Amino acid sequence: MTITDSATTGLADRWRDAATPHTSAGWIERAGEVADILAVDAVERDRANQAPFAEVELLKASGLVTLLGPREHGGAGETWDTAYKVIRAVARGDGSIGQLLGYHYLWAWAARLVATDAQIAAVEELYTRNVFLFGGAVNPRDSDLVIREDGDDLIFSGRKSFSTGGRVSDLTVLEGVLEGTDTHIFAIVPTAQEGIVFAGDWDNLGQRLTESGSVEIRDVRVPWTDAAGFVDKQFQPLVYNTLNVPTIQLVFANFYLGIAQGALETASAYTRERTRPWPYGGDDKQRASDEWYLLEGYGTLQSKLWADEALLDAVGAEISAVLHAPREELTERRRGEIAVRIAAGKLRIVDDGLEVASKIYELTGARATSNSVGLDIFWRNLRTHSLHDPIAYKKREVGEYVLLGQVPVPTWYT
């Protein structure tokens, strides 16, 4: 079965008469149901490399898109602690769709990070009531979009080489620099407009269904009143504004963990059902699943993922408490301590996840390298996105904290 627009409608009907979850556990279970659907044909969809319109409709029908949306507008009103676990659960079935959902949560929270109270209320009502998905044309390694003033409007122009969500998003977050200044401005705009032109050129090794190709921004007009966080054209800074990076870095770590969990689950099922025992070791078994080296291998990998999960859950609870607390309460020191803990969690799951995605071949056997099995999708997905920013710098951040008591200075990557 391959997920198509028509098939998704039928799959989504499973929730038509189902009660809406009202607990964190219920939403994580719902995310697991989505993952199970996605896992059935993840390899086939990855090879087709088509924009994931149907997959996004599945996320919307499940209610996961509005997980963080206010209850008064039809959202679940859940916390980031739950959102991280939901991202992880979805990524277990399809790493690309887990990434799309995680980026959406970050951009849906962008208003709370930097906007005024009135802007926050407007954005959250807009996306929650309409069940809109966010994408973002924000890539710090590219030159910023140029913003020109035109009376009471701002005009964004330029190009970004990455824009996750792309054509499947309903709203796009733009970021640029006001011409003649060093003032950065964020704005949320409708994706479907003539001034936003996607190249459709995302064709990478992994995470192929994230719709992360390049985009041209051609004179997109935004009212000054929609410039996030500006009052009378002046930005009001808070330490809380800088939480975007640790928040998204933990998004990364959680869908990495989901990908690794999916790899281990898929491999262990293959070993139970299809791997043949080795008859030349002097300790012959009737079933491969009884062989000591396979038991040792799976035990080692699972232990590492359980440890990673415990660390990510702990730091997820820490940053969630800060994200949902009054914005004025956050100090630079507390922000830095959380960023270091997230860096530690990220570097661990990258190392352990890549080990899992590679080691599973030794535990499944030569026949598992068949393209029809598709175990390579897990390594390709994790390897591709884990290059987002160098892990070596995360290790340094943790080391500076341990040896020198220093916390990282906020940048686009720390």
Side-chain angles (χ1 to χ4, degrees):
M1 177 185 64
T2 298
I3 293 179
T4 63
D5 290 318
S6 58
T8 300
T9 301
L11 291 169
D13 283 345
R14 66 187 294 162
W15 300 300
R16 186 179 301 279
D17 298 318
T20 300
H22 292 291
T23 65
S24 174
W27 282 110
I28 295 167
E29 181 179 352
R30 175 68 58 87
E33 294 173 7
V34 171
D36 290 342
I37 293 170
L38 293 170
V40 170
D41 62 348
V43 174
E44 290 82 357
R45 290 182 294 102
D46 172 85
R47 289 176 182 153
N49 195 25
Q50 299 297 309
F53 289 103
E55 292 86 338
V56 168
E57 288 306 311
L58 190 65
L59 292 178
K60 291 181 176 182
S62 69
L64 297 181
V65 166
T66 53
L67 183 78
L68 293 173
R71 290 192 177 120
E72 60 265 32
H73 301 315
E78 273 292 340
T79 66
W80 268 97
D81 188 36
T82 302
Y84 284 125
K85 295 170 183 173
V86 162
I87 294 163
R88 182 193 311 164
V90 172
R92 178 179 57 78
D94 189 324
S96 289
I97 308 308
Q99 179 184 336
L100 271 180
L101 185 62
Y103 276 53
H104 160 76
Y105 287 152
L106 184 279
W107 295 128
W109 201 261
R112 286 187 179 249
L113 287 170
V114 297
T116 65
D117 290 344
Q119 290 169 334
I120 293 169
V123 168
E124 292 192 338
E125 180 175 4
L126 173 67
Y127 99 82
T128 305
R129 287 193 181 279
N130 292 285
V131 196
F132 281 162
L133 185 86
F134 279 85
V138 180
N139 175 28
R141 297 295 301 278
D142 288 340
S143 297
D144 289 292
L145 302 182
V146 175
I147 306 172
R148 307 190 314 274
E149 280 193 274
D150 183 19
D152 292 331
D153 289 342
L154 298 168
I155 301 175
F156 287 73
S157 300
R159 180 184 182 277
K160 289 291 187 180
S161 55
F162 301 106
S163 183
T164 295
R167 292 170 293 176
V168 299
S169 66
D170 302 294
L171 300 170
T172 294
V173 177
L174 301 180
E175 183 274 331
V177 174
L178 188 61
E179 195 171 38
T181 75
D182 59 359
T183 301
H184 291 259
I185 300 176
F186 285 85
I188 296 167
V189 300
T191 300
Q193 56 177 294
E194 291 184 359
I196 299 181
V197 182
F198 296 103
D201 54 359
W202 179 248
D203 188 22
N204 283 38
L205 179 72
Q207 294 299 88
R208 290 166 59 80
L209 300 190
T210 59
E211 188 62 25
S212 294
S214 63
V215 62
E216 292 280 348
I217 307 300
R218 302 174 180 174
D219 297 335
V220 172
R221 188 175 290 268
V222 177
W224 247 116
T225 53
D226 288 350
F230 282 78
V231 177
D232 296 328
K233 301 185 179 182
Q234 296 294 318
F235 186 69
Q236 311 299 314
L238 291 169
V239 174
Y240 190 94
N241 305 150
T242 68
L243 280 176
N244 60 320
V245 176
T247 302
I248 194 68
Q249 289 282 325
L250 193 54
V251 166
F252 299 167
N254 274 283
F255 71 75
Y256 298 166
L257 176 56
I259 292 168
Q261 289 173 330
L264 197 59
E265 289 176 13
T266 303
S268 60
Y270 184 97
T271 295
R272 285 191 298 270
E273 298 163 10
R274 300 171 65 178
T275 299
R276 297 184 297 178
W278 188 250
Y280 307 109
D283 185 27
D284 298 351
K285 303 294 184 183
Q286 293 298 310
R287 300 179 305 174
S289 56
D290 290 332
E291 292 189 323
W292 69 267
Y293 83 96
L294 294 181
L295 296 171
E296 181 271 342
Y298 279 111
T300 298
L301 296 181
Q302 182 64 81
S303 297
K304 291 183 178 184
L305 293 189
W306 277 336
D308 294 334
E309 183 175 24
L311 176 54
L312 295 183
D313 282 349
V315 74
E318 289 181 43
I319 194 171
S320 182
V322 168
L323 284 165
H324 293 278
R327 296 192 294 179
E328 297 77 15
E329 292 182 358
L330 183 62
T331 65
E332 292 181 2
R333 182 69 186 183
R334 183 60 182 143
R335 187 264 186 206
E337 290 170 345
I338 291 174
V340 166
R341 295 258 290 160
I342 290 172
K346 181 185 175 186
L347 68 89
R348 282 272 29 97
I349 185 53
V350 169
D351 284 354
D352 293 341
L354 289 173
E355 180 185 359
V356 167
S358 179
K359 183 77 173 178
I360 55 175
Y361 285 100
E362 298 176 31
L363 305 178
T364 50
R367 294 188 178 193
T369 63
S370 169
N371 285 328
S372 64
V373 178
L375 286 180
D376 61 298
I377 192 174
F378 302 107
W379 184 89
R380 289 188 292 104
N381 283 345
L382 186 47
R383 179 69 286 177
T384 295
H385 198 281
S386 61
L387 298 173
H388 177 276
D389 54 288
I391 286 296
Y393 288 94
K394 297 303 173 192
K395 294 177 179 178
R396 186 183 72 178
E397 290 169 21
V398 177
E400 287 177 336
Y401 178 75
V402 172
L403 288 178
L404 307 174
Q406 296 178 0
V407 296
V409 176
T411 71
W412 287 106
Y413 287 94
T414 57

